[in-house]
Amino acid sequence: MKSKRASFEGALEALGVTVSSTAESDLEAAVTEAVTEPAVGIALGETAGDEAFSLTETPVTVDPTPVALREATTGVTGAELGIGDYGSLVLSMTEEASELLSLFVERHVAILHEEDIQPDMDAAVAELDERFNETGGSAIIATGPSATADMGALVNGAHGAREVHVIIVEEEA
Amino acid sequence: MATADELRELMRTEGAAVAENTQGFNTGRYDSVADLEDYEALKRAARSIKEDAIEELPDLLDQLTETVEANGGTVYIADDAADANDYIRGVVDERAADRVVKSKSMTSEEIEVNDALEADGVDVVETDLGEWVLQVADEAPSHIVAPAIHKSRESIAELFNKQFDPDEPLETAEELTRFARKKLGEQIIDAEVGITGANFVTADTGTMALVTSEGNARKTVAATDTHVAVAGVEKVIPTVGALHPFIELIGRSGTGQDITSYVSLLTPPVDTPVVDFTDDETPLSEFESDRDFHLVLIDNGRLEMRDDEHLRETLYCIRCSACSNSCANFQSVGGHAFGGETYSGGIATGWEAGIEGLDVAEEFNDLCTGCTRCVNACPVGIDIPWINTVVRDRINRDKDAPGEWLVDGLTPDEADDGAPLQKRFFGNFETVAKLGSATAPVSNWLADTTVARQAMDRILGIDPRRDLPTFERETLVDWAAARDSKVTDPERRAVLYPDLYTNHVQVERGKAAVKVLESLGVDVVVPPAPSSGRAPLSQGMVATATDHAERVTETLEPHIEDGRDVVVIEPSDHAMFTREYERLLDESAFTDIAENSYEVFEYVFGLLDNGGSVDSLSTVTGAEIAYHSHCQQRTLGLEAHTVAVLEECGYDVVTSDVECCGMAGSFGYKSDYYELSMDVGDRLRTQLRDDGVQDRPVVASGTSCLEQIDALLERQPRHPIELLAT
Ligand code: SF4
């Protein structure tokens, strides 16, 4: 049996999504490496763990203005869940505009805690079922880059991100 | 109904793009579902969720309304298109919106909301790239998932260059996409209202699922402050958890993607702030997320469909497009011919009959030949061919009886009086065949004269380019009656069903079947029997088909009771006994015949598997052969048996994998469809002419396939059973 993480990473690779991993303490370095500037993002307090990752030590402009968002190349957000068999990310829609930051950019960098990787779609939907029923809420199951075949051939980056990169924050040993 | 000229024109202008795209999706589907460990279980789960949801629809709609309102949204249940449009116009007017952006939604096409809003002076922009291409070109969708499937890259480039006159002419798909992204991106961010569809809506939390790939639906919701979701009432399912099988199946079944890029699960109003995209001072998080949400659920005939025993299943449809992509005729002509006002492909017959009426369904319903290749592809197991048959029957009955002496003479019962002349001719082919054999060979000479062919073309619409079947003077039944069984101590006992063609036309394959079965120790009888009812059923003459089914079971029942197995050579008749009769007979009569019937190679396979010796058959060492199975046989999972037996007999077998040969019973004989039938057949011809295949003798299981292959190739095909007879 492949581990959840191995199957997740395999699926991401098949989708053309790049992956890097980091310890929690080195997250900012990993973010710096993953972004193409100009970069905007969200304060990761909620989505990246207990510690509030401010991203202050990175080139990322946190909580940008709408104009800065439109001029940015990269958007950095958290991901709530990873789905092992599909390589999907579950993105939440927060008041901090994570939806805009992952969508109105060319490159989306998603930060995911290793323990949030679910083995399969069944488990992920069950988890969402529970959450939605308890607290309401919305989510995007995002799999690979935005794509279209409407112009006569498959092209990445239709309306949404053309490139996706996932940073897996590893569990502390 | 599209005429031969219209179909020819469509095949010329759109056929190549449609064929390439649909076949790509179809192949993708086979590959993608093969990766699923529990494909059949997922389909069963999806089916049962939909069945239950439609059963409980009124309660679910109440629950959904309550939930959405508790979340802060509004639900409007619209009786029909006009009602829905009035409501949406009101919302747009109240918001004083200049621009509405839309993501792709078939239901919004159905109500033609764009026209309604544009009449009010609102700028409506389709943001799905395919839909946008069509909006710019002012054309109708040709496919329910990929609406611009009929347009090639070259034609889109030409359209954009002409319409927008860019600095550098656009050429590649990449350039066209970038251009559209930029242009639409600007329009999205200053729109006030976003209209989306909804693939599913859950009653428990008021969550809607939107299945997309481009990201335009996400932007449509995120960039506007008023969200209108338009969906048919049938889209409601009970829980978020119930989304699971659909999320796994919808992309795979449709375009062959394991999952589309984005499955948005929105419980509106969403928390994303509503921002002013020109603001360069205020941080995103400081904008409020003030959003209005309106869920417009549309009846427009659906609740009546729910009460209609036969159309009800249509409401389970999740609009995945598998039934379009797997359809041989659709692959040739696309949705502009094989579609109605809004919907296209096999299931469109159900949708259009229920929403628009029989007259719209009639425009394209003939294009479903009942090949059943969509049946296993449909993620919710809808019997799409049956819906087409029922609607055809209703259309027939809607018409005045033609009252022509010729066909009245051929129609023994009054039950299907409504069917038009041509349909009744093909539907009652049994009478023709009987007469043909009785008067052969004179009947064959007469039928082949120019005068006769012209008359047939004019009166019956039988295309003069088709060879007519040649009737044998001695039928299989006569031949069998005149000889003694070679088996003294039988292993098993069988009744070989003398289907119409085997009995009157392809008598040799019948004789071969008797000999093969006897070689394997089976005592065989071939009693006279009525035709299966396949012919009338395919013409939508359900009452006549039912009458046949009853007479066939009456004939075969004593043999079954006597311990005989029913062996059937013609796959389309075997499919009648094991599939279609379920609709025509009571349960016990159906089970009786279905459980005791075997396709001839399925039977031989079973005999060999149970100790029968292949040495009693005619065997070869490594002789090469090409095999084309039959559409309905493949749907029943019975292609493998023929291949296995041929291999056991020493053949090196390659098989075709086209969905259908194109002949499809009488379809390819009809003047209006002859060219379409040959276009479909061309794909089979290509495979049979491939390197390594072109010199192989061809065998095929179905009568129609044999006739089609005969017309397509120099090589004369045979039924594979003829290879086995000693
Ligand atoms: S009928 Fe079945 S296969 Fe056809 S579009 Fe609907 S769900 Fe898909």
Side-chain angles (χ1 to χ4, degrees), chain B residues 144 317-323 347 378-380 382 384:
Chain B
I144 58 174
C317 170
I318 61 170
R319 314 251 173 96
C320 73
S321 81
C323 55
I347 195 60
C378 176
V380 284
I382 300 177
I384 300 154

Short mmCIF file of all heavy atoms in Angstrom, two decimals, chain B residues 144 317-323 347 378-380 382 384, ligand 1:
data_model
loop_
_atom_site.label_atom_id
_atom_site.label_comp_id
_atom_site.label_asym_id
_atom_site.label_seq_id
_atom_site.Cartn_x
_atom_site.Cartn_y
_atom_site.Cartn_z
N ILE B 144 -23.55 19.14 -24.91
CA ILE B 144 -24.01 19.68 -23.63
C ILE B 144 -22.88 20.04 -22.68
O ILE B 144 -23.07 20.82 -21.77
CB ILE B 144 -25.03 18.74 -22.92
CG1 ILE B 144 -24.44 17.35 -22.68
CG2 ILE B 144 -26.32 18.64 -23.72
CD1 ILE B 144 -25.35 16.45 -21.85
N CYS B 317 -30.71 12.27 -14.98
CA CYS B 317 -29.57 12.64 -15.82
C CYS B 317 -28.74 13.73 -15.16
O CYS B 317 -29.25 14.73 -14.68
CB CYS B 317 -30.11 13.15 -17.16
SG CYS B 317 -28.88 13.91 -18.22
N ILE B 318 -27.42 13.54 -15.14
CA ILE B 318 -26.53 14.56 -14.57
C ILE B 318 -25.80 15.34 -15.67
O ILE B 318 -24.81 16.02 -15.40
CB ILE B 318 -25.52 13.94 -13.57
CG1 ILE B 318 -24.62 12.90 -14.24
CG2 ILE B 318 -26.27 13.31 -12.39
CD1 ILE B 318 -23.46 12.46 -13.35
N ARG B 319 -26.27 15.18 -16.92
CA ARG B 319 -25.74 15.98 -18.03
C ARG B 319 -24.23 15.81 -18.19
O ARG B 319 -23.50 16.80 -18.29
CB ARG B 319 -26.06 17.46 -17.81
CG ARG B 319 -27.49 17.72 -17.38
CD ARG B 319 -28.26 18.38 -18.50
NE ARG B 319 -29.68 18.51 -18.16
CZ ARG B 319 -30.23 19.60 -17.65
NH1 ARG B 319 -29.49 20.66 -17.40
NH2 ARG B 319 -31.52 19.63 -17.41
N CYS B 320 -23.80 14.57 -18.20
CA CYS B 320 -22.36 14.33 -18.29
C CYS B 320 -21.89 14.27 -19.74
O CYS B 320 -20.73 14.43 -20.01
CB CYS B 320 -22.01 13.04 -17.56
SG CYS B 320 -22.53 11.57 -18.46
N SER B 321 -22.79 13.93 -20.66
CA SER B 321 -22.53 13.83 -22.10
C SER B 321 -22.00 12.48 -22.57
O SER B 321 -21.69 12.32 -23.74
CB SER B 321 -21.60 14.94 -22.62
OG SER B 321 -20.23 14.64 -22.37
N ALA B 322 -21.92 11.49 -21.67
CA ALA B 322 -21.44 10.17 -22.11
C ALA B 322 -22.32 9.60 -23.22
O ALA B 322 -21.84 8.95 -24.14
CB ALA B 322 -21.40 9.20 -20.94
N CYS B 323 -23.63 9.87 -23.13
CA CYS B 323 -24.52 9.27 -24.15
C CYS B 323 -24.34 9.95 -25.50
O CYS B 323 -24.67 9.37 -26.53
CB CYS B 323 -25.98 9.29 -23.69
SG CYS B 323 -26.63 10.88 -23.22
N ILE B 347 -30.12 11.34 -24.64
CA ILE B 347 -31.07 11.68 -23.58
C ILE B 347 -31.86 12.93 -23.93
O ILE B 347 -32.90 13.22 -23.32
CB ILE B 347 -30.34 11.85 -22.23
CG1 ILE B 347 -31.32 11.85 -21.04
CG2 ILE B 347 -29.50 13.13 -22.20
CD1 ILE B 347 -32.13 10.59 -20.90
N CYS B 378 -23.70 5.44 -19.14
CA CYS B 378 -24.44 6.41 -18.34
C CYS B 378 -24.19 6.18 -16.86
O CYS B 378 -24.45 5.10 -16.35
CB CYS B 378 -25.95 6.31 -18.64
SG CYS B 378 -26.93 7.40 -17.59
N PRO B 379 -23.69 7.20 -16.17
CA PRO B 379 -23.32 7.01 -14.76
C PRO B 379 -24.51 6.77 -13.84
O PRO B 379 -24.32 6.32 -12.71
CB PRO B 379 -22.60 8.32 -14.40
CG PRO B 379 -23.09 9.31 -15.38
CD PRO B 379 -23.37 8.55 -16.64
N VAL B 380 -25.70 7.08 -14.31
CA VAL B 380 -26.87 6.82 -13.47
C VAL B 380 -27.77 5.75 -14.10
O VAL B 380 -28.94 5.62 -13.72
CB VAL B 380 -27.67 8.11 -13.18
CG1 VAL B 380 -26.96 8.95 -12.14
CG2 VAL B 380 -27.89 8.92 -14.44
N ILE B 382 -29.37 5.17 -16.90
CA ILE B 382 -30.64 5.45 -17.56
C ILE B 382 -30.77 4.59 -18.81
O ILE B 382 -29.82 4.45 -19.58
CB ILE B 382 -30.76 6.95 -17.94
CG1 ILE B 382 -30.67 7.80 -16.68
CG2 ILE B 382 -32.05 7.23 -18.70
CD1 ILE B 382 -30.69 9.30 -16.95
N ILE B 384 -31.54 4.88 -21.87
CA ILE B 384 -31.74 5.94 -22.86
C ILE B 384 -32.43 5.42 -24.13
O ILE B 384 -33.35 6.07 -24.64
CB ILE B 384 -30.38 6.62 -23.16
CG1 ILE B 384 -29.82 7.22 -21.87
CG2 ILE B 384 -30.52 7.70 -24.24
CD1 ILE B 384 -28.31 7.36 -21.84
S1 SF4 C 1 -28.37 10.38 -19.80
FE1 SF4 C 1 -26.71 9.53 -18.59
S2 SF4 C 1 -25.00 9.50 -20.04
FE2 SF4 C 1 -26.51 10.90 -20.94
S3 SF4 C 1 -25.91 12.92 -20.22
FE3 SF4 C 1 -27.44 12.12 -18.78
S4 SF4 C 1 -26.22 11.16 -17.16
FE4 SF4 C 1 -24.86 11.43 -18.89
#
